[in-house]
Amino acid sequence: MTILTIMGQGMAVLLFAYVAGMLYYGLYRNITARFQKRIGPPVLQTFYDSMKLLFKDEATAFGWMFYLGPVIMATGSVLTLLLLPFLRVWHEGSLSVYGDLFVILYLMVMGPLGNALAVGVSGNPFGVMGVTRGLTRLMGLELPFYIAVIGVMSVAQSSDIWHIIAWQQIHGINMIHYPLLFIAALFSFVGFMGSSPFDVVAAPQEVYSGPRSEFSGKFLGLLMSQNAIFGFAKLLLMVDLFWGGADSIVELILKTFTLFLVTIVIGVVYGRFKVHQAVDFLVKFPTLLGVVGLLLL
Amino acid sequence: MNILASLQPQLCDKFETQAFDLKRDDLAQVIVEKKIWRAVMDYLKEEAGFVTLLTITCTDWIEEERFELNYIFAHETKRCDLMLSFSIARDGESVQTLTDRWPQAEVMERDLHEMFGIVFEGHPNLASFALENWHHTPPLRREFDTLAFVNEHFEFRKGREENVDVKAEAKRLRALKKAKAQAEAEAKKEKGADDADE
Amino acid sequence: MKEGFLIEQERLEHEAAASLKSSGLINDIIRYFRKKSIFVLAYGTGCGAIEMPPTFTSRYDAERFGIRGAATPRQADVIVVSGYLSFKTLRRIIHTYEQMASPKYVIALGSCTINGGMYWDSYNTIKQLDKYIPVDMYANGCMPRPEALLEAFIALQKKIENDEEPSGWERYLENIEWYRQNQRAVLGEDIKPAYEADWYTEGR
């Protein structure tokens, strides 16, 4: 296992995640449009948007801390992706043998927090409001998700994701064994994906796209691109934890897209919660399900 | 019993009203002198139950050299409105503000100050409201010539160069169409004749 | 903090604006992306604002052409000026336009923006929008229907793709003194709106 294989595999994973994420988010808009009896944008629309933004000028200059925000965000996403097991057969030569679940959970929060710093520098009230909403929502999101993760870890007797996948290889996937934990994690997952009904952070009608409101041009393009990668990383995490990972690319695409379809449908059907409604909901039902699931282990 | 009709004798007894004009069942106008308008208004608010100030309007009687200020009130429970009117001189006469009784009068008085140039004494903020940086005559005074102002300050886009008289053009097009249809019909006729010959 | 206009002014001074426009395969690709993705800032100044929601929702579905709404001026490519502009609104429009990131385009909606429309003799509305900000595309009518608005968008897309004439933001940079002069003529010396929060409660 040389440094070259690690880098090569990392680049391959990154490229795949970028392409898949862009296509998924393009399909998100298209399928949403079909639900609303529209024709909808082409599947590549998200790609067009991000590329156009990458070739645009910026309208703002707030100093280096402001520029660092999207970069920290992108770093968090890419690291999260690289430290996750991609395919089961790619155990050798993967960066993911070094990380465990704790690192992943930390990295998932690191990006948004770094971005929050940049938003604070810009001083835009809507941006700060969006960040505040995001932190409030995060409290609600993390509770059920961490409960589910604790359950999964205690079953596999390890915090290593490879061990969790191996356990599922032997005993069957976690979703069937511990459905309550899965449902609790799924609620949080829908929130993490930033779709309705938990999309209070970037609500365009309320806080004018929240943390993104001051970013323009290349930074917005970078944020959109990292969002695609991060979205795929989150899908991968759920697939690894509850659906036993994947052996081939086809299986991976099938599993992640099925999961993504769930968030699309939930997002289309439900409107946006208010902030306190979202937190109330997440603290009550999914947490309760998670606790019951923990007791039934 | 109609509240406005019953109000008329009370009001006329108590104050020297110049006129009480019952325009409809639910609409009346009271015209008073400027010196007693606050007292009448207080009576209307405290005793007669006209608690809501709907709007303040101004009429410019330029021939009689006066502004007529109209304060329109709505009744607390009944469905009727009352208009309290009094006149001030067109230039230089100021009016006491109403913001101490109804806070919403602030915006209305600001608007009147901007559009007519009436000064309201004791108003907290007579800054510009809908117009910004307006240094001309207040635009709703009747001596303000809107058209002259527009011609002086703006220039209009010229029409297109290929611009044509619409009526003449329509006539020409109609004639063209008619001639074409006629030619077609004749051609058809000839063709039909040819076919018959064959 | 520097923003919008100041950055553009800097660029004008360095004469970098000329280098932005060049031909070649990469520029063609970039123009293709710009054409396919248009973020719209719908500035509802007049009655035309009501034509915008049907354009973007299920009935006319502008999103199938890659046209979608933007939440803030910073993210937008196109500003749609919908209808008549009073002096007060014009001031905001100019400020908003200068906060947008280049390349940026302006679509003017309705007769009011072309020649004053039905407000031709009003003392408080401007008559020709393109004296104050550069307009890339007009949709005439009073009011133009959503079809006309969509047609304007598609014409703008063609214009972006062909790149035959300097687009509005380039003209604005080149002739900034002329535009500023016109703006000062109607708005007075302080062009930038003062965004004090106490404009209303002042002195209370």
Side-chain angles (χ1 to χ4, degrees), chain B residues 14-107:
Chain B
K14 216 166 170 64
F15 302 102
E16 277 182 46
T17 55
Q18 290 177 342
F20 192 103
D21 186 5
L22 197 63
K23 291 178 186 296
R24 285 202 313 251
D25 277 354
D26 56 351
L27 185 69
Q29 183 186 18
V30 192
I31 302 175
V32 296
E33 288 279 335
K34 191 201 164 194
K35 58 186 183 229
I36 60 165
W37 76 276
R38 288 286 288 206
V40 177
M41 195 205 66
D42 281 348
Y43 174 79
L44 286 175
K45 186 182 181 186
E46 306 296 339
E47 315 276 327
F50 287 90
V51 293
T52 309
L53 174 68
L54 292 181
T55 185
I56 310 174
T57 66
C58 177
T59 321
D60 187 357
W61 298 99
I62 193 167
E63 296 85 0
E64 300 167 23
E65 286 291 312
R66 66 185 176 94
F67 279 138
E68 192 179 50
L69 279 172
N70 309 307
Y71 292 74
I72 304 179
F73 302 96
H75 195 268
E76 190 179 7
T77 51
K78 300 283 190 296
R79 227 180 243 192
C80 58
D81 299 340
L82 187 78
M83 186 156 91
L84 177 69
S85 310
F86 61 91
S87 296
I88 59 170
R90 253 179 127 255
D91 288 308
E93 193 168 353
S94 59
V95 188
Q96 207 183 340
T97 180
L98 209 56
T99 44
D100 50 344
R101 297 287 194 279
W102 281 279
Q104 71 261 38
E106 184 194 336
V107 178

Side-chain angles (χ1 to χ4, degrees), chain C residues 14-44:
Chain C
H14 289 107
E15 291 179 357
S19 71
L20 281 173
K21 193 185 170 190
S22 53
S23 55
L25 181 66
I26 294 189
N27 282 61
D28 286 349
I29 294 172
I30 293 173
R31 275 206 297 277
Y32 180 74
F33 288 138
R34 277 181 192 156
K35 174 199 150 195
K36 292 295 273 186
S37 157
I38 289 181
F39 286 14
V40 182
L41 184 72
Y43 197 104

Side-chain angles (χ1 to χ4, degrees), chain B residues 117-131:
Chain B
I118 303 168
V119 178
F120 288 89
E121 281 168 26
H123 190 282
N125 176 23
L126 279 180
S128 66
F129 180 52
L131 306 170

Side-chain angles (χ1 to χ4, degrees), chain C residues 8 33 38 41 52 69 72-73 76 93 107-108 137 139 157 163 200:
Chain C
E8 285 175 357
F33 288 138
I38 289 181
L41 184 72
M52 230 84 77
T72 70
I93 285 274
I107 289 182
M137 200 58 70
Q157 283 180 334
D163 195 25
Y200 177 67

Side-chain angles (χ1 to χ4, degrees), chain A residues 56-243:
Chain A
K56 250 190 114 166
D57 288 351
E58 300 85 45
T60 43
F62 290 105
W64 60 274
M65 189 62 227
F66 182 71
Y67 298 140
L68 218 52
V71 179
I72 296 175
M73 195 108 172
T75 313
S77 320
V78 172
L79 271 179
T80 313
L81 180 76
L82 292 183
L83 290 181
L84 276 171
F86 187 66
L87 292 180
R88 276 200 298 261
V89 288
W90 282 14
H91 185 272
E92 286 300 313
S94 160
L95 208 59
S96 56
V97 289
Y98 298 110
D100 67 353
L101 210 41
F102 290 114
V103 181
I104 301 286
L105 291 178
Y106 165 72
L107 284 175
M108 278 175 72
V109 188
M110 187 194 87
L113 282 182
N115 200 35
L117 231 63
V119 172
V121 170
S122 82
N124 187 313
F126 293 114
V128 176
M129 208 188 288
V131 167
T132 318
R133 283 166 161 237
L135 293 179
T136 317
R137 188 190 66 167
L138 202 62
M139 290 200 296
L141 286 181
E142 284 186 337
L143 205 58
F145 197 71
Y146 285 2
I147 287 172
V149 164
I150 287 168
V152 171
M153 283 198 297
S154 63
V155 165
Q157 291 292 315
S158 167
S159 71
D160 192 345
I161 305 180
W162 283 108
H163 283 155
I164 294 171
I165 294 176
W167 189 91
Q168 292 180 71
Q169 287 282 80
I170 300 163
H171 297 95
I173 59 174
N174 274 335
M175 186 184 83
I176 293 179
H177 282 284
Y178 310 107
L180 289 181
L181 289 182
F182 175 70
I183 293 169
L186 192 64
F187 277 114
S188 291
F189 170 72
V190 170
F192 274 126
M193 291 299 279
S195 68
S196 287
F198 303 115
D199 56 342
V200 289
V201 181
Q205 294 88 1
E206 293 163 27
V207 288
Y208 305 101
S209 75
R212 289 182 179 189
S213 56
E214 201 67 20
F215 289 104
S216 62
K218 296 175 181 64
F219 300 111
L220 191 62
L222 186 59
L223 281 175
M224 276 181 93
S225 309
Q226 72 82 25
N227 192 37
I229 296 173
F230 199 32
F232 189 79
K234 282 180 277 197
L235 287 165
L236 197 59
L237 176 66
M238 280 298 278
V239 168
D240 281 346
L241 286 185
F242 289 98
W243 288 1

Side-chain angles (χ1 to χ4, degrees), chain A residues 29 33 36-42 45 47-53 55-62 122 124 204 207-209 212-217 220 224, chain C residues 1-4 7 11 20 26 30 32-34 36-39 56-58 61 63-68 71-72 74-77 98-103 169:
Chain A
R29 283 171 66 179
Q36 296 168 353
K37 276 196 170 183
R38 290 191 283 133
I39 296 171
Q45 186 61 48
F47 176 68
Y48 293 150
D49 286 352
S50 74
M51 287 313 276
K52 175 209 69 179
L53 286 169
F55 288 112
K56 250 190 114 166
D57 288 351
E58 300 85 45
T60 43
F62 290 105
S122 82
N124 187 313
V207 288
Y208 305 101
S209 75
R212 289 182 179 189
S213 56
E214 201 67 20
F215 289 104
S216 62
L220 191 62
M224 276 181 93
Chain C
M1 177 196 147
K2 268 189 295 188
E3 66 171 23
I7 292 177
R11 184 172 298 127
L20 281 173
I26 294 189
I30 293 173
Y32 180 74
F33 288 138
R34 277 181 192 156
K36 292 295 273 186
S37 157
I38 289 181
F39 286 14
F56 290 106
T57 45
S58 299
D61 188 23
E63 206 181 3
R64 67 203 146 111
F65 303 112
I67 301 160
R68 74 185 297 199
T72 70
R74 305 241 190 257
Q75 305 166 359
D77 302 311
E98 284 175 358
Q99 284 192 59
M100 286 162 64
S102 313
W169 60 279

